[in-house]
Amino acid sequence: MVEEEHPARLKSVSKRTAATGFLGPATLVVTVMLAAPLLLLLRFSLNRFDIKELMIETVTAENYLRFFTDPFYLGVLRTTVLVAVTSTVLCLLFGLPLAYRLARSQSRWKSLCMLAIVLPLFVGSTVRMVGWMILFAHGGMLDSAVRWVNGVGLEVMYTPFAVVAGIVSINLPYVVLTIQSAIETIDIRIEEAAQSLGAPPGRQFWLVVWPLALPGTAIAGILCFILAMNAYATPYLLGGPRFQMMAPLLYWEFSTNNNWPFASALALILMSTTLVLTACSNLLIPRRYRA
Amino acid sequence: MTDLRSISRRAMLAGASALPFAPGLARAEEQQVVIATWGGDYANLLRDNVEVPVLTPQGIKVVQDIGDEDPRVAKALAQRRLPRGTDDVLCLQAVRAHELGDAGLLEPLDATKVPNLAHVLPDLRNTFYAPHIFSQQVLVYNPNTVKNPPKRLTDLLDPKYKGKVGVGDINYMYVMMACALAATGDVNKVEAPATRELAMKLNANGLRLYPSTDSIGAGLKSGEIDVGLMWKARVVMWQNAGIPVAASFQEEGTVLYISGMVVPKNAPNKAGAYRYLNAMLERGSQSRFAERMGYQPTVDNSPLEGKVAEQLSLPAGVSKFFTPDYGITGPLQSSVSEWWKKNIQHG
């Protein structure tokens, strides 16, 4: 009996060794590449800024205190969260019907529609923002069209609306593709069963499709939220200097002021806030529907 | 003495094969100059007017390290402890050059190292940087919509200009210097209460902040703004591009924007860097920059001619130009930036 078990155990051990061998290098690289810069950032954030020395090595919480005791910086964080939440909600509202329609489509145009959604991702976000600038600018297409209709122009450039519109345009393809792939995995016969039992389309969606698509939708929402929280080019180009979000503020501190310790603290605060809010969003999903 | 017969055939071959590379390597190191500069027109003009016509015939190969000024300064500060940095020449605004010079990162310059420094205009001379170009910060306006041009900065507080005044957000320090000059008569008093009060009043009159210098030109062209604060050089460039714009020199005086080049103490090729600076100050290089970019030459032996001389000529009675004392304004940059961010951007 013992002699029979021995080769099986050996096989299991060699399997484990092989798995470790395959996973080890990648895990090590990811850990080092992720952890090392973060640790460096944490160390920098505890240093003191000096205009001549750049940084004085010490251990102080003054950069964090500066952020949390100044209403200006807290206001910037609030704006960032608000823009990210608004963009996420809008992306889900626009993306969900589109993703559902695409997932259930049998049309020969489906591939073309998919391509149309993916196509904007081929163009860099900064280039797309320049397109929005041409559309929104004073004397631009939107302003000229509105002026032609009612004689008074429409100032959209450098407004929160412009920033949210820009972020939604960038994030929407990610949201649609993620939700669409989640809905594709839901067996259509479940919907047909609900239909045969007399459920109208709305009820059928909310009671059958929505709970099953919820984990995928949540992932799409989280993805969108993270991207919006860290948006740099969009608030900078479409929001202008008066619209403050965390990423442009962080870059200003890092580059214009050369204040690396405070910029590092801002980066860690932004990352922690995103992580905490992402973890909290998971609580909104009922336990039985979590992925 | 080594007996040649004692060297093995293999060692002899290895040594012989390395021989052609040894002087080549040394020469490459000696003749290559790395200049950290802005991109676009500025870099192209450096290449076409300084590097190719002057330095290439001298056997100097120039590598342009193109990027923004802020990361350039950060890089210089971060590399301060290295015995050998990566750049030989840095292009910087005078205020940033002074910041690095004050931090002890720059090689002092004089005419023994860079002979053409002897021709630099007296007001622009500095120990740490070789001034390359300069321009006055003037009031700019659209002559089609503004019939009575503003004469003082305080004229922009007129309610008729509400929402029609634009400045560059990145030029915040120079805007504050203009406010200081108008409010206190001293260009260096950028943190004086009267200076801040004037800036706040301008902001309350619907001041438009533009993220880049070029976007101010676009604002003037589209009619979004009628007046603003900008370098005279930009006025010339925009006029040449067909944008309706004219300049008005403030009665209280104008602040000078100076841009130059510096040599870090840990530059790998200091001799080459000095030759670059000298080439940049050559009269031909200087006058071509004026023709193309509208900046004034910084040397006394490069008189302007033709259209550019007309465009850059000073109106009668204009004589008040102020070079900031960077020893005073340099250390105030962080606090002014912080104040600007909270009270003007967020105001």
Side-chain angles (χ1 to χ4, degrees):
Chain A
M1 189 78 177
V2 173
E3 280 170 6
E4 278 173 19
E5 271 180 11
H6 188 63
R9 207 166 55 230
L10 269 179
K11 204 174 174 184
S12 155
V13 169
S14 76
K15 251 186 180 176
R16 236 178 293 146
T17 315
T20 312
F22 281 122
L23 292 174
T27 312
L28 191 72
V29 167
V30 170
T31 309
V32 171
M33 300 292 269
L34 184 73
L38 284 178
L39 286 173
L40 195 65
L41 211 60
L42 177 67
R43 184 66 196 91
F44 280 5
S45 74
L46 301 174
N47 284 342
R48 184 170 289 141
F49 170 64
D50 181 86
I51 195 162
K52 288 184 184 173
E53 292 288 326
L54 193 65
M55 269 192 298
I56 296 174
E57 283 208 13
T58 181
V59 178
T60 173
E62 68 182 33
N63 296 307
Y64 293 96
L65 285 173
R66 180 182 169 192
F67 183 89
F68 288 110
T69 54
D70 193 328
F72 170 77
Y73 295 112
L74 291 174
V76 174
L77 183 62
R78 207 177 303 122
T79 306
T80 309
V81 173
L82 200 66
V83 166
V85 170
T86 310
S87 312
T88 306
V89 169
L90 287 175
C91 276
L92 291 175
L93 281 176
F94 295 143
L96 196 60
L98 197 59
Y100 181 75
R101 187 75 188 86
L102 268 175
R104 292 293 179 244
S105 172
Q106 302 291 324
S107 164
R108 61 196 173 105
W109 301 107
K110 185 177 174 177
S111 308
L112 205 66
C113 291
M114 292 292 292
L115 187 69
I117 289 168
V118 175
L119 212 57
L121 300 178
F122 283 75
V123 184
S125 58
T126 310
V127 177
R128 272 184 284 163
M129 284 313 105
V130 173
W132 282 105
M133 285 168 77
I134 294 167
L135 187 72
F136 288 157
H138 184 93
M141 289 164 73
L142 193 64
D143 181 50
S144 303
V146 174
R147 197 180 295 274
W148 185 72
V149 172
N150 62 9
V152 183
L154 182 68
E155 290 215 8
V156 180
M157 194 69 179
Y158 302 147
T159 62
F161 172 80
V163 177
V164 172
I167 292 176
V168 168
S169 77
I170 287 177
N171 294 358
L172 198 57
Y174 297 108
V175 171
V176 172
L177 292 177
T178 312
I179 301 177
Q180 185 250 344
S181 63
I183 295 174
E184 292 266 17
T185 60
I186 303 170
D187 195 335
I188 196 163
R189 285 173 298 181
I190 302 173
E191 285 179 68
E192 287 166 356
Q195 197 181 7
S196 71
L197 290 170
R203 200 174 164 78
Q204 187 185 312
F205 180 82
W206 284 115
L207 293 181
V208 178
V209 179
W210 173 246
L212 291 171
L214 201 53
T217 310
I219 290 169
I222 287 169
L223 189 68
C224 179
F225 179 75
I226 293 171
L227 288 171
M229 281 289 284
N230 292 288
Y232 173 77
T234 311
Y236 181 75
L237 294 171
L238 297 181
R242 290 189 190 276
F243 192 81
Q244 306 276 5
M245 276 178 71
M246 285 293 280
L249 178 74
L250 191 162
Y251 187 71
W252 171 283
E253 284 298 335
F254 173 77
S255 62
T256 308
N257 284 352
N258 284 327
N259 192 340
W260 291 17
F262 189 51
S264 303
L266 287 176
L268 285 174
I269 290 166
L270 175 61
M271 203 181 71
S272 311
T273 311
T274 311
L275 276 173
V276 168
L277 291 175
T278 304
C280 287
S281 71
N282 209 30
L283 298 175
L284 295 173
I285 305 168
R287 188 181 291 271
R288 62 196 166 123
Y289 297 134
R290 282 179 205 167
Chain B
M1 199 170 165
T2 314
D3 185 357
L4 274 176
R5 281 169 300 183
S6 68
I7 300 172
S8 70
R9 189 170 59 94
R10 194 169 288 178
M12 181 73 116
L13 281 171
S17 60
L19 265 175
F21 297 103
L25 281 173
R27 194 168 56 242
E29 194 179 330
E30 192 182 292
Q31 298 301 334
Q32 179 173 286
V33 173
V34 180
I35 177 167
T37 174
W38 294 278
D41 273 353
Y42 190 83
N44 293 339
L45 286 170
L46 281 180
R47 190 192 58 227
D48 296 343
N49 301 311
V50 179
E51 295 161 15
V52 174
V54 186
L55 294 168
T56 306
Q58 293 178 25
I60 295 176
K61 183 192 169 198
V62 179
V63 176
Q64 291 188 343
D65 174 10
I66 290 174
D68 285 338
E69 185 182 49
D70 292 324
R72 201 145 63 231
V73 171
K75 191 173 157 188
L77 285 163
Q79 289 185 344
R80 62 185 303 166
R81 311 233 184 275
L82 297 179
R84 272 169 70 91
T86 49
D87 299 317
D88 298 305
V89 179
L90 306 179
C91 296
L92 297 173
Q93 291 180 62
V95 64
R96 303 310 297 269
H98 198 279
E99 181 187 326
L100 292 187
D102 208 30
L105 270 64
L106 303 180
E107 199 65 46
L109 301 171
D110 57 52
T112 57
K113 294 171 180 169
V114 183
N116 278 334
L117 278 176
H119 293 289
V120 167
L121 300 171
D123 288 349
L124 307 180
R125 286 184 186 166
N126 188 280
T127 318
F128 295 114
Y129 63 84
H132 180 207
I133 49 178
F134 81 99
S135 192
Q136 301 91 355
Q137 183 181 239
V138 293
L139 294 168
V140 295
Y141 63 95
N142 182 340
N144 299 334
T145 53
V146 178
K147 297 302 169 198
N148 295 312
K151 292 185 171 66
R152 304 180 64 85
L153 185 70
T154 46
D155 289 349
L156 305 188
L157 297 174
D158 192 321
K160 72 180 176 187
Y161 292 131
K162 192 164 178 64
K164 289 287 186 181
V165 182
V167 297
D169 186 57
I170 49 169
N171 302 331
Y172 69 92
M173 197 67 184
Y174 288 92
V175 176
M176 291 305 287
M177 285 176 189
C179 289
L181 203 53
T184 70
D186 183 347
V187 69
N188 301 308
K189 289 188 175 170
V190 285
E191 289 197 318
T195 304
R196 288 180 167 180
E197 195 185 337
L198 177 55
M200 297 282 272
K201 281 182 182 171
L202 278 171
N203 203 31
N205 202 30
L207 184 71
R208 286 180 187 269
L209 300 181
Y210 288 94
S212 67
T213 305
D214 285 320
S215 52
I216 301 177
L220 278 164
K221 191 178 180 182
S222 70
E224 192 171 48
I225 54 168
D226 287 335
V227 287
L229 262 179
M230 191 29 67
W231 324 124
K232 178 76 166 66
R234 283 286 170 164
V235 177
V236 173
M237 279 178 84
W238 291 339
Q239 282 172 340
N240 293 343
I243 296 175
V245 61
S248 170
F249 287 76
Q250 300 94 303
E251 284 177 358
E252 64 266 22
T254 56
V255 185
L256 293 187
Y257 166 87
I258 306 165
S259 173
M261 296 184 187
V262 301
V263 180
K265 274 187 175 162
N266 58 2
N269 182 6
K270 283 182 199 165
Y274 297 143
R275 286 166 81 176
Y276 195 107
L277 264 50
N278 205 50
M280 168 275 282
L281 292 168
E282 288 287 336
R283 54 186 298 182
S285 312
Q286 286 273 315
S287 59
R288 279 190 285 272
F289 257 89
E291 283 161 21
R292 184 71 184 270
M293 292 191 85
Y295 285 96
Q296 310 260 18
T298 54
V299 290
D300 58 12
N301 60 347
S302 180
L304 299 175
E305 292 165 356
K307 187 185 173 190
V308 69
E310 200 178 299
Q311 284 177 311
L312 290 177
S313 64
L314 298 175
V318 171
S319 60
K320 288 190 208 167
F321 304 117
F322 295 90
T323 309
D325 183 338
Y326 300 114
I328 299 172
T329 56
L332 298 177
Q333 276 194 105
S334 285
S335 54
V336 173
S337 152
E338 183 82 356
W339 183 86
W340 178 267
K341 197 167 57 187
K342 290 180 179 174
N343 297 279
I344 303 296
Q345 286 184 346
H346 203 61

